Structure formats: C-alpha cells, structure tokens
Amino acid sequence: MAVIIGAGNVASALAPALETAGLEISQIWSRNPDNAARLASTLKIPAQPIADLSQIRQGEDLYLVSVTDDAIRPIAQRMKGFGGLWAHTSGSVDADVLSDITDTYGVFYPLQTFTRGITVEMSEVPLYIEGSDAASRQSLLEIAGRISRRVSLADSSRRRRLHAAAVFACNFVNYMWSVADDILREEGDDISVLFPLIEETMRKMEATGDPAAVQTGPARRNDKGVMDGHARLLSPEHSELYRTVSEKIINRYHPNERDQL
Amino acid sequence: MAVIIGAGNVASALAPALETAGLEISQIWSRNPDNAARLASTLKIPAQPIADLSQIRQGEDLYLVSVTDDAIRPIAQRMKGFGGLWAHTSGSVDADVLSDITDTYGVFYPLQTFTRGITVEMSEVPLYIEGSDAASRQSLLEIAGRISRRVSLADSSRRRRLHAAAVFACNFVNYMWSVADDILREEGDDISVLFPLIEETMRKMEATGDPAAVQTGPARRNDKGVMDGHARLLSPEHSELYRTVSEKIINRYHPNERDQL
C-alpha cells in the first residue's frame, strides 16, 4: 500500500501508474481537499482523500512526496520521526530533506513533463532513483521497475543536471513554440502551420543525436539583415528574447564576429 | 527546364524535388564551383555546374534564386534585364528585389529546415508562393503543386511573420536542445536520455495546438528555489539564457510577481 502526498501533475501521473504496478493507493493528501478527492476518484480502488498530514497512516510500503520543491521541507518538518520508506519526486531537492522523517528514504524522479488530462506512456518514462541505504535503494528500484523500462540510479548531482537540461529541452522549447504561436496569431495563422517544421527539427536532432551539428537559421549564418528585420517585426518582449538567443548562437558559431552585433 | 542559383541547404533540397516534379535542371550556379558540381552530381540528369552568372542560359522555364538573403540583391543587380520567370526562396526578402531582372517574378518559400545529407519528405513541406502578376503566380503555384501537398499564397508580410515564427519554433528550439546536450555531457550523459521527454513535449503541444496552455516547469510555477539552484549550476553563458527565458515565462504567467526576481 502506498500513500501519495500531493495531487498535482506528477502525483496525478504516478498514482495510477503505481496502482497498475500492483501497489494499492490507500491515501492521497493535498492541502486542497478537492484536488485530493479528484485524484482519488480516478483510481480503480478509490483512495482516501485527506487534507491533514496528521491523518496519514503508519506502516504502509511507500510514502511518495510529490509536491512543489519549496513545499517538501515544511512537510518533512511536520512528519518528523514518522518512519517508513519515503521518497520525493523532485529533480532538484536533495534526498536527505526527508532524513528527519525516517532513516529509509530516497528519490523517485520521473524525467518527463506531465499535464493533467494528458496521458503519458509510463513504461517509456525514464525514472531516476536514489536511496539512503541499500535496502531503500533496492525497494525503490523494484517499484520503479514495475512502472518503467527505463530505470537508473542517479545521485543528486546527476539528477540536478538532468533536471536543468530538461528545463531547456522541454519547458524552454515549449515557450519558444508559444512565442511562435503568438507571432502567427497576429495575422490569422497559428502554430499548426509549423507542425511539419517542428517534427522535422526533432527528427533531425534525434537522428544525429547532435543538435549543435544541425543548427540552422539566420543566427547560425550570422545573417544580420534577416535578424534586424525580425527584431523590428516583433513586440518588444519577443524582440528582446530574439536578440538574446540569436547572440548566444552567434557567440557559439561566429565567436570572432560577435562585436559587430 | 530550370536553373538553380545557389547550392546551399535549401537549393540542395529543392533541386532534386523539382527534378522529381518533372522539371529538368539545366544549370546550377554557385560562387563556389565545387558546391555547384556536388549538387549537380546528385541529380538523375546531371546539370551543368557554373560559377559565373554570365553563363546562365536564357529562355528556361524557371530561375530559382536560393542563396543567403544578403546575396539576393547583388545577384539581381548583375542579372538586370535578363527576363524569364524568377523566384527566390527567402522568408524575409521582398519579391520585388527581382524586379530589375524581369517583370515576371515571385517567391517560392519552403517553410522547413534543411540540412545537407538529411532527406526531407518534400510532399509535406508547406510552400508559400507570391507572384508579381497572375501568370507568374499561376506558374509558381503549378510547379509548387507538383512538389508539395501544402501550397499556399502568402504576401510578404505574412511570409515574414511565418519566417520569424519558424526561427523560434525551429532554430531556437534546436539551440535549447544543444544547451541541454552541453549540460548533460558534463557528467557523461547526453541528449538521448531526454528523447522521451522531447517527444512527449512535442506530442502534447501538437495534441492541444496550444503551447501556452501546456507550459510546465519551474518558471511556470515561479519556483524560485529551483531556478536559483539551476542558475548556480550552469556556466555563465547558459545561466544568462536560463534567466532571460525564465523571466519571460514568469512575466507571462505571474505578471504581478516579476518584481521579486
């Protein structure tokens, strides 16, 4: 039996996955009782939704803390001396934030983007595991192995680096798409006209495994006429971003010409 | 018969596509004769590689100018009064840069990223057409229709906007991936560990058609602890980019909290 602490995007993806992997979810905590109830109701065997940490039952197999990074420490303080096997799901928080709760703790970090209402094939999601001792590590690896085909051990340093890289590769990429969508909507187009381009960009990068080698575009060519024209066309907010990213690309591919910008 | 002026990434993709569409390529010009010869040799019916604009034959069906934006005008100056149907392939240059050459001219803009050695399915590439008069427009539409299923008319204003959006959606996205790859290589990982994340990010954006609605990550949550940790982990060059993009996301999703950054 497992207790899920949190009912956000990550918790909403992991709770059903843990259930499918054979762990019954006994309780789901959220500060917001509606969120706990909503997630509990999506399970085959309904979990008990709770909004008070003091209601959490002792003696379960796993306590999974899946809340925003800033909320992990306050929760750990409240649960001092509780015992059991605890893991958080953060890419950036050290495992030992949980050490006041129990001696057996670790990290269960899914390297994926989750949005409520959008189903992700969990068997393909890379899971990075850390444990405070051999037994905790083994338990977490065993549970992870029932969920995903891509389970690895990662210490905090590697996990932080994976998370920072993921922010560029996922969150910042998505933001670039939202800027493209903004630009297109000003004349009645939208992001869908770029789908073939977006798919080819990804396909090319994955085929080579080397994004730096397949970089194209005005900044890659240091084509100042095009860059100036784009900067004039864009809103001040988008134009500033355009210049910053273009300068980075020029710095990389034309290091001796950057003073001309 | 068509003449291709240029032998770069775009010319290298369009020349075989035009040949497949039934237009014989008679000549390929490049300032660099080796590039012209290389592209000419990839065709089924070899074209004549030339390095001197004065060797271009008159009376062909199409003259396609596929060079960097800054090089189009000087070429047009050299070809004054030549006549025929001319089109350039740029997203950002006005069609009438070709008006000194001929009265019948236009634009043949493929909204795609091309890299030499990587084959693109041309039938799916959106082609945006502009023509100086009805006949030029019709000829270019007819040729485009033999190459791609996605042909549209677009005036210069719409084409510029498509191009600027494409820079964000393709070039800047690829650069974000190259930064992620840099970060991962510092501890022996590489971009391939992020492929499931990258694919899911794209899948989710395309499924909703609304990147702004599916934005996730530390900046979306305004999670300052994570952002500060990442900024400390990264090189100064990457850290500056991290802060700029994060600030843009915070400005959009937390407009009243940006002063705290």
Side-chain angles (χ1 to χ4, degrees):
Chain A
M1 305 259 265
V3 175
I4 308 288
I5 295 160
N9 292 339
V10 176
S12 298
L14 286 180
L18 286 168
E19 186 177 58
T20 304
L23 268 171
E24 190 178 322
I25 315 295
S26 61
Q27 299 181 305
I28 293 173
W29 173 91
S30 171
R31 200 170 42 184
N32 179 332
D34 291 344
N35 289 348
R38 181 195 47 70
L39 177 52
S41 73
T42 66
L43 299 172
K44 290 191 196 85
I45 302 174
Q48 180 195 14
I50 55 176
D52 188 337
L53 293 167
S54 67
Q55 291 179 272
I56 293 179
R57 281 184 215 139
Q58 284 190 301
E60 304 288 32
D61 299 305
L62 175 68
Y63 299 86
L64 196 70
V65 183
S66 190
V67 297
T68 59
D69 286 14
D70 293 345
I72 299 176
R73 187 171 298 276
I75 288 173
Q77 301 290 314
R78 274 291 311 279
M79 303 306 291
K80 232 170 220 173
F82 188 88
L85 173 61
W86 285 66
H88 71 63
T89 61
S90 163
S92 291
V93 174
D94 282 340
D96 64 9
V97 67
L98 303 172
S99 62
D100 283 345
I101 303 177
T102 175
D103 292 334
T104 50
Y105 57 83
V107 178
F108 197 95
Y109 170 52
L111 183 56
Q112 186 51 281
T113 175
F114 299 104
T115 302
R116 246 173 263 169
I118 295 179
T119 307
V120 167
E121 178 51 49
M122 287 297 298
S123 66
E124 294 297 325
V125 172
L127 293 175
Y128 290 92
I129 302 301
E130 185 175 354
S132 60
D133 59 2
S136 310
R137 199 155 46 236
Q138 199 46 49
S139 297
L140 293 171
L141 281 174
E142 195 270 321
I143 295 166
R146 283 189 263 153
I147 292 182
S148 168
R149 301 192 300 116
R150 299 170 182 260
V151 177
S152 316
L153 283 171
D155 62 14
S156 292
S157 163
R158 183 180 176 207
R159 182 159 41 85
R160 258 178 224 279
R161 209 164 273 282
L162 287 163
H163 189 212
V167 167
F168 280 94
C170 161
N171 306 147
F172 289 0
V173 160
N174 186 73
Y175 186 68
M176 298 299 144
W177 289 332
S178 76
V179 171
D181 192 44
D182 290 347
I183 295 167
L184 292 167
R185 283 180 191 276
E186 286 180 35
E187 289 209 10
D189 285 309
D190 68 44
I191 191 75
S192 64
V193 303
L194 298 181
F195 288 175
L197 173 66
I198 288 168
E199 288 158 21
E200 175 61 16
T201 305
M202 190 192 81
R203 202 184 66 78
K204 187 165 78 173
M205 188 282 286
E206 291 196 354
T208 60
D210 189 357
V214 295
Q215 184 71 49
T216 58
R220 174 65 184 85
R221 298 189 302 273
N222 204 7
D223 192 334
K224 293 198 194 310
V226 174
M227 288 186 276
D228 287 346
H230 285 166
R232 279 195 303 273
L233 170 81
L234 300 170
S235 70
E237 181 80 357
H238 293 342
S239 181
E240 189 199 346
L241 181 61
Y242 186 95
R243 284 189 187 281
T244 299
V245 184
S246 292
E247 276 175 31
K248 297 287 174 203
I249 297 173
I250 293 167
N251 286 352
R252 182 169 195 143
Y253 293 95
H254 305 272
N256 301 322
E257 297 163 55
R258 66 188 149 194
D259 296 340
Q260 296 169 20
L261 203 79
Chain B
M1 304 259 265
V3 175
I4 309 288
I5 296 160
N9 291 340
V10 176
S12 298
L14 286 180
L18 286 169
E19 186 176 57
T20 304
L23 270 170
E24 191 179 321
I25 314 295
S26 61
Q27 299 182 305
I28 293 172
W29 174 91
S30 171
R31 202 170 40 184
N32 179 332
D34 292 343
N35 288 347
R38 182 194 46 70
L39 177 52
S41 73
T42 66
L43 298 172
K44 291 192 195 83
I45 302 174
Q48 180 195 14
I50 55 176
D52 189 338
L53 293 167
S54 67
Q55 291 180 269
I56 293 179
R57 278 184 217 141
Q58 285 190 299
E60 304 288 31
D61 299 307
L62 175 68
Y63 299 86
L64 197 69
V65 183
S66 190
V67 297
T68 59
D69 286 15
D70 293 346
I72 299 176
R73 188 171 297 277
I75 287 173
Q77 302 291 313
R78 275 289 312 280
M79 303 306 292
K80 235 172 218 170
F82 188 87
L85 174 61
W86 285 66
H88 72 63
T89 62
S90 162
S92 290
V93 174
D94 281 341
D96 64 9
V97 68
L98 304 172
S99 62
D100 282 347
I101 303 178
T102 174
D103 292 333
T104 51
Y105 58 83
V107 178
F108 197 95
Y109 170 52
L111 183 55
Q112 187 49 282
T113 175
F114 299 104
T115 301
R116 246 173 262 169
I118 295 179
T119 307
V120 167
E121 177 51 48
M122 287 297 297
S123 65
E124 295 297 325
V125 173
L127 293 175
Y128 290 93
I129 301 301
E130 185 175 355
S132 59
D133 59 3
S136 310
R137 200 155 45 235
Q138 198 47 49
S139 296
L140 292 170
L141 282 174
E142 195 271 321
I143 295 167
R146 283 189 264 153
I147 292 181
S148 168
R149 302 191 302 115
R150 299 170 181 261
V151 178
S152 317
L153 284 171
D155 62 13
S156 293
S157 163
R158 184 180 176 205
R159 182 160 40 85
R160 257 179 224 280
R161 208 164 274 283
L162 287 163
H163 189 211
V167 168
F168 280 94
C170 161
N171 306 146
F172 288 0
V173 160
N174 187 73
Y175 185 69
M176 298 298 145
W177 289 332
S178 76
V179 172
D181 193 43
D182 289 347
I183 295 167
L184 292 166
R185 282 181 190 277
E186 286 180 35
E187 290 208 12
D189 284 309
D190 68 43
I191 190 76
S192 65
V193 303
L194 299 181
F195 288 176
L197 173 66
I198 288 168
E199 287 158 22
E200 174 62 16
T201 305
M202 191 192 79
R203 204 184 65 77
K204 187 164 78 172
M205 188 280 287
E206 291 196 354
T208 60
D210 189 356
V214 295
Q215 183 70 50
T216 59
R220 172 67 184 85
R221 297 190 301 273
N222 204 7
D223 192 333
K224 292 197 193 312
V226 174
M227 287 186 277
D228 287 346
H230 285 166
R232 279 196 302 273
L233 169 81
L234 299 169
S235 70
E237 181 79 355
H238 292 342
S239 181
E240 189 199 345
L241 181 61
Y242 187 96
R243 285 188 187 281
T244 300
V245 184
S246 292
E247 276 174 31
K248 296 288 175 204
I249 297 174
I250 294 168
N251 286 353
R252 181 168 196 144
Y253 293 95
H254 305 273
N256 301 322
E257 297 164 53
R258 65 187 150 196
D259 296 340
Q260 296 170 21
L261 203 77

